[in-house]
Amino acid sequence: MIDREKGLIAEIYQCLRAEFGDCKWWPGDSAEEVVIGAILTQSVSWRNVEVAISRLKENELLSFQAINQADVSEIAPLIRSTRFYNEKARKLKNFAHWLFTFYRGSLDLLFSRGLWELRKELLTVKGLGEETVDSILLYAGNKRIFVIDAYTMRILSRLGIAQKDWRYRDYQKFFMK
């Protein structure tokens, strides 16, 4: 990264921090809730995810143990507010099944792994993409990784920093460097 780009990114960071402070983002009462929120927030506003999380909590389905034991048809209506709720119910089930198959249902055991090996492994869970996996790693697992979203890509493109052929990984390498 050239000095101009470093300075520009640092300036953007300082402006955002001065305006918004330390947001302590991601909301959630537990690592499980953060992972569930990360899966549910794909392509939907956070307000809708909050509704779904509340409904899961009310129905005692806000744990991977409960999700693993429930049917998709039981989960889906509770997360209707998140759009694509049948698909997201399957994604929650996929993650829960995977967690119990390989990590005895333990997020602590899961997050004891190294960042890059764990990232690669999480990307094999059907329905989880890079942004979701990186959100899980950062916000639930406290792993040092930069999450790239559409806004980040748009800003770097408009500033002329990103190359036209950049993919998610290229943006992430830029920030991680």
Side-chain angles (χ1 to χ4, degrees):
M1 182 179 342
I2 61 173
D3 288 336
R4 182 189 83 77
E5 292 168 335
K6 279 184 183 179
L8 189 55
I9 296 301
E11 186 178 337
I12 291 169
Y13 172 78
Q14 292 303 329
C15 287
L16 290 171
R17 185 155 176 110
E19 179 69 24
F20 299 107
D22 185 357
C23 296
K24 304 278 189 244
W25 187 247
W26 182 287
D29 294 332
S30 67
E32 260 185 332
E33 188 174 324
V34 170
V35 174
I36 291 167
I39 294 169
L40 294 178
T41 200
Q42 296 171 356
S43 305
V44 71
S45 75
W46 183 252
R47 281 188 306 274
N48 293 346
V49 174
E50 288 177 317
V51 170
I53 287 174
S54 179
R55 295 204 61 215
L56 288 170
K57 197 177 285 186
E58 289 167 8
N59 288 273
E60 298 180 4
L61 281 172
L62 192 65
S63 74
F64 286 115
Q65 172 127 16
I67 289 169
N68 195 42
Q69 294 172 347
D71 290 327
V72 168
S73 62
E74 190 179 348
I75 300 166
L78 301 175
I79 62 171
R80 182 177 286 269
S81 62
T82 65
R83 296 179 58 199
F84 313 112
Y85 51 91
N86 289 314
E87 183 180 323
K88 288 180 181 180
R90 281 190 291 280
K91 290 176 184 184
L92 288 171
K93 287 285 293 179
N94 290 343
F95 183 86
H97 177 74
W98 177 84
L99 184 66
F100 276 86
T101 300
F102 296 104
Y103 292 96
R104 300 187 307 259
S106 171
L107 287 178
D108 289 337
L109 186 58
L110 171 72
F111 292 132
S112 70
R113 302 275 318 269
L115 170 64
W116 297 109
E117 311 88 68
L118 182 53
R119 184 180 191 275
K120 183 177 179 182
E121 197 175 337
L122 280 166
L123 285 169
T124 68
V125 178
K126 187 174 174 144
L128 300 188
E130 291 181 296
E131 184 178 350
T132 301
V133 164
D134 291 342
S135 293
I136 290 168
L137 291 169
L138 176 64
Y139 300 116
N142 296 309
K143 303 286 186 182
R144 294 183 64 119
I145 192 160
F146 198 95
V147 180
I148 302 298
D149 62 13
Y151 301 108
T152 308
M153 292 179 189
R154 194 174 304 133
I155 289 168
L156 289 189
S157 293
R158 288 183 180 166
L159 291 173
I161 294 172
Q163 304 297 314
K164 288 185 184 207
D165 62 343
W166 275 17
R167 300 204 184 296
Y168 185 99
R169 188 79 179 117
D170 299 307
Y171 286 93
Q172 190 174 59
K173 280 182 184 177
F174 174 83
F175 278 100
M176 296 292 286
K177 192 172 166 190

